[in-house]
Amino acid sequence: MKKLTTKNLVTAALFAALACVMTMSVRIPIPGTQGYIHPGDAVVILCGIFLDPVVAFFAAGIGSALADLLGGYFIYVPITFVIKGLVALCGGLLYRSHAVSSLNKHITVALCGVIDILIVALGYCFCEIFLYGAPAAISSVPANCVQGVSGLIIASVLYPVLEAALKQIQTE
């Protein structure tokens, strides 16, 4: 983990706030469940890309869990913290390992989106088995995959914009 400067801490806090806002601002309800699809996963993916992986874990986890807390999904707060934090951590580690290789950075961002789909779908399914039983948990997997795909697409679109903006901020 690199040194945590004030600028890095503020950037992490901004990503946490953005994860919360993007999760809460656009909600597409999932029929038959109490859940919803949202663009917050894109921010979680981008946390892993632009922040140190450990810092990204906390920024993505706190921002996403805060959205659950404020949205009334109390039972999901700790689950979301861990799952979204792991997405950012794993995505960040993947990005750092492939960004220095010959693999295109945009392809690596898409691979981080695939990690999001896998961890979110499997993570929530696993936890929901204990909450609601296997049939209900398994029925949530397609919606979580759709949410992950939307996060992958949005993150891929936002990546070049944020990359340019953050480079400019870091040079100041």
Side-chain angles (χ1 to χ4, degrees), residues 70-83:
L70 295 172
Y73 294 88
F74 305 114
I75 197 161
Y76 282 99
V77 170
I79 296 167
T80 295
F81 175 79
V82 171
I83 290 172

Side-chain angles (χ1 to χ4, degrees), residues 69-120:
L69 181 68
L70 295 172
Y73 294 88
F74 305 114
I75 197 161
Y76 282 99
V77 170
I79 296 167
T80 295
F81 175 79
V82 171
I83 290 172
K84 301 298 181 161
L86 285 174
V87 168
L89 176 72
C90 294
L93 293 172
L94 174 79
Y95 184 80
R96 274 148 193 77
S97 70
H98 284 90
V100 295
S101 71
S102 62
L103 196 60
N104 183 311
K105 287 184 179 183
H106 297 285
I107 293 171
T108 306
V109 172
L111 290 174
C112 292
V114 172
I115 285 178
D116 173 68
I117 294 166
L118 293 172
I119 292 175
V120 168

